């Protein structure tokens, strides 16, 4: 899929009539040259938006008068909000023979830019780079860490983020082990040879301890869940597997752990997640906040009752989510606070605890019921989709094996 908006006219300076037309449809403009002007005879200077720099100061620094910068700002109108100028974003300024600023090209993101005509009559338009959607397959077995092994396999780390979102209710990504394996069919957005995003994960198989956990993407067109296991059960469940998106487990559930501060052996009925201070902490499920307060050794703590059976607590927070208070209802995945080191703590981490019927349980071994399953009338189509994806992976694996055997000859 290639996205490119263009209308062909001659290269060169624009007439008033052409500018009127451009103003009427300034959201996406291009001419014979993709950027909308011919840069060949112009001198170019590159730079990046600096901290504390506004659009007006950027433009005056590039050679415009304050009045000209103001008039250009007015020309931006609904095409570009000058207040969205971001520190660190690149730009290219194009100058004529008389050293006057002709055009500015601001890199909005990796897939597009904003072009400013800096001479009267001023105009602004967007240019979208060609974006390709490519079908990819990844087969990664963990030897050191998922992140490192994905990179070694030539797979974009962006796939990790997608997989962690999809498998968030099934796999604890902080507890992956050597030998665990992911096989994934997915789509990737590419621009200028760079991966912009993992567009869609269509099928995945996670192998762990001889067990396979397939995931099938199937859209029922009802605006709801699109990821299912092989039984047609939703990948989404009542509780997330972890209250943080990324970090590492630094201390496990134990009734006999030597406390890192007091050095005394005492129960630690939770799991510690080491993470940078300020990392968002999410509630693992829907529920009602029962307490938001400082609790001595536990520091800033949030407690949540999820139902008549389960409750959770989040300790050592640096601060709470804005406006969070006891009695408030929260939704699964909602940020309730931020990682810190308050209370009795040796460094930034989250102490996460779960109780079942008032008894502490190991969060890493907690079972969670799935959400609503696939509609029965969609099961035949779902099974066909799953079988088709599995056949694709089997074909790829067979071809790979054939190549390996040929190389051994």
């Amino acid at each position: 899929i290639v996205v490119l908006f263009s209308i062909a006219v001659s290269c060169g300076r624009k007439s008033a009539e052409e500018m009127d037309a451009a103003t009427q449809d300034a959201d996406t403009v291009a001419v014979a040259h993709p950027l909308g002007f011919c840069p060949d005879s112009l001198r170019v200077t590159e730079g990046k938006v600096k901290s504390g720099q506004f659009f007006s100061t950027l433009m005056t620094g590039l050679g415009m008068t304050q009045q000209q910068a103001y008039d250009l700002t007015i020309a931006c109108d609904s095409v570009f909000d000058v207040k969205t100028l971001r520190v660190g974003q690149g730009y290219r300024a194009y100058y004529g023979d008389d050293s006057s600023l002709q055009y500015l090209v601001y890199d909005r993101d990796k897939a597009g830019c904003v072009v400013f005509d800096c001479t009267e009559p001023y105009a602004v338009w967007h240019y979208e780079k060609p974006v390709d959607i490519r079908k990819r397959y990844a087969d990664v077995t963990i030897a050191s860490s998922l992140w490192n092994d994905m990179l070694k396999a030539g797979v974009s780390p962006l796939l990790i983020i997608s997989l962690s979102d999809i498998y968030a209710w099934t796999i604890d990504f902080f507890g992956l082990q050597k030998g665990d394996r992911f096989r994934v069919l997915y789509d990737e957005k590419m621009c200028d040879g760079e991966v912009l995003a993992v567009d869609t994960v269509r099928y995945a198989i996670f192998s762990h301890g001889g067990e396979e956990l397939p995931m099938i993407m199937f859209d029922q067109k009802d605006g709801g869940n699109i990821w299912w296991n092989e039984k047609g059960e939703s990948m989404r469940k009542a509780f997330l597997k972890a209250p943080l998106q990324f970090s590492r487990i630094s201390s496990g559930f134990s009734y006999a752990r030597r406390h890192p501060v007091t050095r005394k052996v005492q129960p630690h009925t939770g799991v510690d997640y080491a993470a940078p201070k300020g990392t968002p902490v999410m509630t693992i499920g829907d529920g009602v906040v029962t307490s938001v307060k400082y609790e001595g050794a536990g520091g800033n703590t949030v407690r949540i009752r999820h139902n008549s059976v389960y409750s959770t607590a989040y300790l050592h927070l640096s601060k709470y989510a804005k406006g969070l208070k006891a009695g408030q209802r929260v939704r699964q995945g909602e940020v309730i606070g931020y990682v810190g080191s308050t209370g009795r703590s040796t460094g930034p981490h989250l102490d996460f605890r779960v109780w079942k019927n008032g008894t502490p349980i190991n969060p890493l071994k907690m079972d969670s019921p799935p959400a609503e399953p696939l509609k029965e009338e969609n099961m035949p189509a779902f099974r066909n989709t799953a079988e088709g994806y599995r056949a694709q992976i089997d074909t790829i694996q067979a071809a790979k094996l054939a190549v390996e055997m040929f190389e051994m000859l």
Side-chain angles (χ1 to χ4, degrees), residues 162 165-167 169 199-203 214-219 224-229 232-236 372 374 382:
S162 295
D165 288 342
I166 294 169
Y167 278 103
W169 297 269
D199 191 56
T200 306
V201 176
R202 301 189 176 277
Y203 186 79
M215 183 287 301
I216 303 97
M217 193 209 81
F218 184 83
D219 191 352
N225 177 61
I226 61 172
W227 291 302
W228 316 87
N229 65 16
E233 297 171 337
S234 173
M235 295 294 287
R236 180 184 174 91
E372 183 140 354
L374 196 78
F382 168 76

Side-chain angles (χ1 to χ4, degrees), residues 188-255:
E188 208 169 52
K189 276 187 178 180
M190 302 284 295
C191 183
D192 289 342
E194 185 175 354
V195 178
L196 295 182
V198 170
D199 191 56
T200 306
V201 176
R202 301 189 176 277
Y203 186 79
I205 304 172
F206 172 64
S207 302
H208 170 75
E211 181 183 10
E212 289 190 347
L213 299 173
M215 183 287 301
I216 303 97
M217 193 209 81
F218 184 83
D219 191 352
Q220 299 189 104
K221 308 297 183 184
D222 59 356
N225 177 61
I226 61 172
W227 291 302
W228 316 87
N229 65 16
E230 77 280 10
K231 298 177 182 178
E233 297 171 337
S234 173
M235 295 294 287
R236 180 184 174 91
K237 296 186 179 181
F239 299 119
L240 294 169
K241 275 289 185 181
L244 300 175
Q245 191 171 24
F246 288 110
S247 61
R248 62 182 176 85
I249 294 180
S250 59
S251 180
F253 181 96
S254 172
Y255 278 102

Side-chain angles (χ1 to χ4, degrees), residues 1-5 28 34-35 92 105-114 126-132 190-194 196:
I1 300 173
V2 179
V3 180
L4 177 61
F5 300 93
T28 306
L35 289 175
R92 291 165 299 287
V105 178
Y106 167 71
D107 294 328
R108 186 194 66 224
D109 51 40
K110 293 180 180 179
C113 53
V114 185
H126 290 275
Y127 168 64
E128 305 297 334
K129 298 178 184 179
V131 175
D132 297 322
M190 302 284 295
C191 183
D192 289 342
E194 185 175 354
L196 295 182

Side-chain angles (χ1 to χ4, degrees), residues 65-364:
T65 67
Q66 289 187 351
Q67 183 60 50
Q68 289 171 333
Y70 174 77
D71 292 340
L72 180 58
T73 300
I74 297 302
C76 289
D77 193 25
S78 60
V79 180
F80 176 72
D81 184 354
V82 297
K83 287 183 277 188
T84 62
L85 202 70
R86 297 203 307 273
V87 174
Q89 290 298 103
Y91 64 79
R92 291 165 299 287
Y94 294 85
Y95 296 88
D97 293 335
D98 59 355
S99 296
S100 62
L101 182 63
Q102 302 292 305
Y103 296 93
L104 175 73
V105 178
Y106 167 71
D107 294 328
R108 186 194 66 224
D109 51 40
K110 293 180 180 179
C113 53
V114 185
V115 183
F116 302 85
D117 186 338
C118 301
T119 60
E120 296 185 44
Y122 303 108
V124 185
W125 60 88
H126 290 275
Y127 168 64
E128 305 297 334
K129 298 178 184 179
V131 175
D132 297 322
I133 305 294
R134 299 182 183 178
K135 295 188 179 301
R136 296 289 305 272
Y137 172 69
D139 186 348
V140 178
T141 299
I142 296 175
S144 58
S145 73
L146 180 59
W147 185 276
N148 290 335
D149 294 320
M150 283 245 179
L151 290 177
K152 287 180 182 178
V155 179
S156 169
L158 293 174
L159 181 59
I160 300 175
I161 299 174
S162 295
L163 288 174
S164 68
D165 288 342
I166 294 169
Y167 278 103
W169 297 269
T170 309
I171 301 170
D172 183 1
F173 275 71
F174 315 118
L176 296 178
Q177 299 175 9
K178 186 176 181 179
D180 289 350
R181 180 186 183 191
F182 281 97
R183 285 169 285 171
V184 192
L185 291 170
Y186 65 104
D187 296 343
E188 208 169 52
K189 276 187 178 180
M190 302 284 295
C191 183
D192 289 342
E194 185 175 354
V195 178
L196 295 182
V198 170
D199 191 56
T200 306
V201 176
R202 301 189 176 277
Y203 186 79
I205 304 172
F206 172 64
S207 302
H208 170 75
E211 181 183 10
E212 289 190 347
L213 299 173
M215 183 287 301
I216 303 97
M217 193 209 81
F218 184 83
D219 191 352
Q220 299 189 104
K221 308 297 183 184
D222 59 356
N225 177 61
I226 61 172
W227 291 302
W228 316 87
N229 65 16
E230 77 280 10
K231 298 177 182 178
E233 297 171 337
S234 173
M235 295 294 287
R236 180 184 174 91
K237 296 186 179 181
F239 299 119
L240 294 169
K241 275 289 185 181
L244 300 175
Q245 191 171 24
F246 288 110
S247 61
R248 62 182 176 85
I249 294 180
S250 59
S251 180
F253 181 96
S254 172
Y255 278 102
R257 184 192 72 151
R258 186 175 297 279
H259 194 278
V261 175
T262 66
R263 309 311 299 167
K264 294 180 180 179
V265 175
Q266 60 191 78
H268 182 257
T269 55
V271 172
D272 286 350
Y273 291 87
K277 180 181 178 181
T279 301
V281 176
M282 308 176 293
T283 172
I284 64 165
D286 297 354
V288 176
V289 178
T290 59
S291 175
V292 181
K293 65 180 182 180
Y294 188 88
E295 296 190 7
N300 294 331
T301 300
V302 173
R303 296 180 180 272
I304 297 174
R305 184 180 67 252
H306 299 284
N307 49 40
S308 60
V309 177
Y310 290 99
S311 61
T312 55
Y314 311 77
L315 287 65
H316 304 301
L317 302 173
S318 60
K319 61 179 180 179
Y320 311 114
K322 187 176 181 180
L324 191 73
K325 59 184 183 295
Q328 178 179 332
R329 289 203 63 85
V330 288
R331 304 288 294 176
Q332 184 183 74
E334 184 176 335
V335 174
I336 56 170
Y338 301 88
V339 169
S341 188
T342 56
R344 190 182 296 161
S345 168
T346 57
H349 73 288
L350 172 70
D351 183 346
F352 173 56
R353 306 192 178 198
V354 180
W355 289 265
K356 182 177 181 180
N357 294 319
T359 301
I361 63 171
N362 188 341
L364 302 180

